[in-house]
Amino acid sequence: MCTGARRARRPRRPAHTPTVLSARALELALGPRAHRPGRRRQASWKQWPSADPSLNAPLCHRRGPGKQSPSDCGPQAHTTMTAQSLSNCLWAVARLEMRGCEVEVFTQRCVHAVCVAESPDIKEFSPQGLTNTLWAIAKMSGGFTSEEINVHSLCSSVILEARPRLAEFQPQELSMLAWAVAKMRGRGPSAGRGRGGGHVSPLHGRFGDAVSLAEDFLVELAEMAHRRLPELAPQGVSNIAWALATANLYSRHSNCQAGGPVGFLLAAATAAEQALAEYPPQAVANLLWAVARLPGGASSGEASQVASRFAAAAAREATTRIEEFGWQDLSGILVALGQGRYRSPAADCLVVAVVDRAASCARKLTMQVLLNVALSAARLGVPIWCLQPLVDEIASEVQSRPQKLNSMDLRQWAEVQQAFWRLGTLGGVASPGSPQRLPLPR
């Protein structure tokens, strides 16, 4: 037997598989190595090759014997990372869309480190660090199961620190801040639920002061964005406009058209009217949705004139590039046009084209998209002969998949039938030679 023979080496496992990447992220942020002297920067996301979502491997941690929950771990062993490393880690975890008990433990410790232990101090964060931290918390907050993670305290701390330093933030960072604050605040006057009846905002309930702070911050951010409007990218403009509309700030500041949220939106819509070719579909839809939230709609005044011109330009752009627009964006544009009653030749062309396309592929679309398109088209007064095929397809889908309909779908379906019936009885025009077939309203 040859004693000098070398043993064959086992092949090394890939160093950066999705699972290893995700586990390494939390190991660096939570493990004992992150607390050793001289190793504080190991938890930075720069240790990982990429934080691209394609590398995502969600950590669905299963509770079992010996497993830790957020309450088990507690914040007592808070992280000693630098401000930059902490914000980078939070950003990477949110960007990877990681979920599980470990993520909640990590987030809880970050909140405790900044808000309680002041290590790192919130004043040590750069504008980019503040932005990444708030964006990450807003993106992850909907998936938390533990009530012990008081994300409102970290959100308020970031806002208080960013407020006097808004001039230091880059245009993209202003956009990310606006999105994050609006996401944390919630939608509408009560801001309890989102578009799809989502979770209650972390800033509501017993945190009324945090809501007021968030709204005041958004107003100041809108004024800063107004002054720096030429620096903002199209997506940034639409994100800020969407955030202000989500927080219902246009109606609350409708008398301040020269500045504030309304002033920003009017300037943004005027500037975008001639540059919509540079806007991605989602940005067009979000900006139009925000414009439709202006008080008074298309009734009178300078604001309504700007809104009407922009609505016609958005409809014209969507018709020209209709192949680039997804159904979520197309239905969103129609909803905005219908809510504001923005009638124009360009809007009529877009509505007819979208209704025809929706009727031809109704089985591939969600019920929410079908109902939004039909109800908006009825509000805009499309001809009966154009809307009838889509209503028939929706009726067929309602019968074929009743178990998939929720109460909101049923309520909207009743509204579609009533609106369609009114459209026919109040003078809807049928195509030559085709009979009018009206469904009876329920």
Side-chain angles (χ1 to χ4, degrees):
M1 179 177 180
C2 181
T3 58
R6 294 184 178 180
R7 297 178 62 181
R9 294 184 178 179
R10 294 182 180 179
R12 292 186 177 181
R13 300 174 67 180
H16 301 301
T17 62
T19 303
V20 173
L21 257 180
S22 298
R24 181 60 173 163
L26 291 177
E27 177 189 355
L28 288 172
L30 292 174
R33 298 182 188 179
H35 305 289
R36 292 181 184 176
R39 297 216 178 191
R40 296 174 64 184
R41 295 186 179 274
Q42 284 194 2
S44 172
W45 69 276
K46 295 179 181 179
Q47 290 282 343
W48 316 324
S50 172
D52 191 278
S54 62
L55 298 178
N56 178 26
L59 277 169
C60 300
H61 186 78
R62 296 183 178 180
R63 299 282 299 277
K67 302 298 184 181
Q68 293 178 319
S69 67
S71 58
D72 299 329
C73 297
Q76 62 274 14
H78 66 272
T79 177
T80 56
M81 290 186 292
T82 63
Q84 188 66 39
S85 293
L86 187 144
S87 63
N88 284 342
C89 273
L90 278 172
W91 175 86
V93 171
R95 187 80 170 89
L96 288 166
E97 299 183 356
M98 298 168 70
R99 297 290 185 269
C101 177
E102 296 97 334
V103 174
E104 297 193 13
V105 173
F106 168 60
T107 307
Q108 184 180 0
R109 290 183 176 178
C110 288
V111 171
H112 183 273
V114 176
C115 300
V116 180
E118 296 184 354
S119 176
D121 193 325
I122 191 67
K123 296 185 181 300
E124 299 176 11
F125 283 73
S126 64
Q128 183 185 23
L130 292 171
T131 302
N132 287 346
T133 299
L134 190 58
W135 179 86
I137 290 295
K139 189 171 178 63
M140 294 190 296
S141 61
F144 292 150
T145 59
S146 172
E147 297 181 356
E148 300 175 8
I149 305 178
N150 295 328
V151 294
H152 77 284
S153 59
L154 181 56
C155 181
S156 298
S157 298
V158 172
I159 290 176
L160 288 172
E161 180 62 27
R163 198 169 180 177
R165 299 168 56 185
L166 277 177
E168 303 175 20
F169 286 75
Q170 296 296 322
Q172 183 181 1
E173 293 166 353
L174 291 176
S175 169
M176 293 174 64
L177 275 178
W179 180 89
V181 173
K183 178 74 163 50
M184 295 289 290
R185 182 207 176 275
R187 175 167 295 180
S190 62
R193 295 185 178 275
R195 178 179 298 180
H199 65 281
V200 177
S201 168
L203 295 185
H204 276 265
R206 63 182 185 278
F207 307 130
D209 292 341
V211 176
S212 300
L213 177 65
E215 293 175 352
D216 293 342
F217 177 73
L218 284 175
V219 172
E220 296 180 13
L221 189 148
E223 294 174 352
M224 177 62 66
H226 190 179
R227 292 196 293 268
R228 301 174 62 182
L229 184 60
E231 303 176 36
L232 290 169
Q235 191 64 54
V237 172
S238 68
N239 283 350
I240 295 176
W242 173 89
L244 298 173
T246 298
N248 199 38
L249 294 180
Y250 296 130
S251 60
R252 299 186 184 185
H253 298 266
S254 58
N255 296 328
C256 305
Q257 295 189 8
V262 176
F264 166 78
L265 183 61
L266 294 180
T270 301
E273 185 180 340
Q274 304 299 327
L276 281 178
E278 304 173 7
Y279 278 61
Q282 184 184 29
V284 176
N286 284 350
L287 186 53
L288 179 57
W289 179 80
V291 167
R293 300 285 295 238
L294 282 171
S299 55
S300 61
E302 178 185 357
S304 64
Q305 295 177 9
V306 173
S308 297
R309 290 198 302 269
F310 179 78
R316 195 159 44 245
E317 187 67 26
T319 304
T320 303
R321 299 162 51 194
I322 194 168
E323 297 295 338
E324 301 177 26
F325 282 69
W327 278 108
Q328 194 68 30
D329 298 325
L330 288 174
S331 65
I333 290 176
L334 260 63
V335 167
L337 293 173
Q339 287 180 346
R341 301 298 196 272
Y342 296 118
R343 295 291 306 273
S344 66
D348 292 342
C349 291
L350 176 64
V351 173
V352 170
V354 173
V355 167
D356 182 64
R357 289 165 66 92
S360 64
C361 59
R363 295 183 180 180
K364 300 179 181 179
L365 304 180
T366 65
M367 184 58 65
Q368 191 64 54
V369 168
L370 291 172
L371 293 172
N372 283 344
V373 170
L375 186 57
S376 301
R379 287 174 176 173
L380 291 170
V382 299
I384 287 292
W385 60 266
C386 177
L387 194 54
Q388 181 80 60
L390 178 57
V391 173
D392 292 342
E393 289 293 336
I394 296 176
S396 176
E397 291 299 312
V398 168
Q399 294 178 356
S400 63
R401 45 179 171 175
Q403 68 280 2
K404 297 182 180 180
L405 302 180
N406 54 37
S407 58
M408 182 179 295
D409 293 335
L410 295 175
R411 184 168 61 252
Q412 270 198 301
W413 173 229
E415 292 178 10
V416 167
Q417 293 180 92
Q418 292 172 2
F420 187 56
W421 180 262
R422 288 195 301 269
L423 184 65
T425 56
L426 294 179
V429 180
S431 61
S434 63
Q436 292 189 4
R437 296 180 291 107
L438 301 177
L440 294 177
R442 296 181 180 179

